[in-house]
Amino acid sequence: MKSLKKVLIKKSRGIDGILVTAGLCIIALLLCVVLKDSLTTFITTIVSSLTTKATTILG
């Protein structure tokens, strides 16, 4: 009975890291879905600003 408890309680090495990584990926995916419109606006603003700056530098 004691050996069965040890097997059930024992965690394999690295499983905690895998669970944390999976959790962070799920959170990132949810944030991307929820903030999709905000991210699109943010990226568009950055790209247009960089384009304007590059035009002034090269022009």
Side-chain angles (χ1 to χ4, degrees):
M1 189 68 175
K2 285 185 179 183
S3 62
L4 180 61
K5 278 187 178 181
K6 285 182 183 179
V7 170
L8 292 176
I9 293 174
K10 182 181 177 185
K11 292 183 179 179
S12 63
R13 292 184 81 193
I15 192 74
D16 292 335
I18 293 171
L19 291 175
V20 168
T21 303
L24 289 174
C25 288
I26 290 171
I27 291 170
L29 182 64
L30 287 173
L31 283 174
C32 285
V33 169
V34 170
L35 300 174
K36 180 179 156 188
D37 296 329
S38 299
L39 285 173
T40 304
T41 305
F42 178 68
I43 291 171
T44 304
T45 304
I46 288 178
V47 169
S48 65
S49 296
L50 288 174
T51 304
T52 304
K53 186 70 172 179
T55 305
T56 59
I57 290 173
L58 296 174

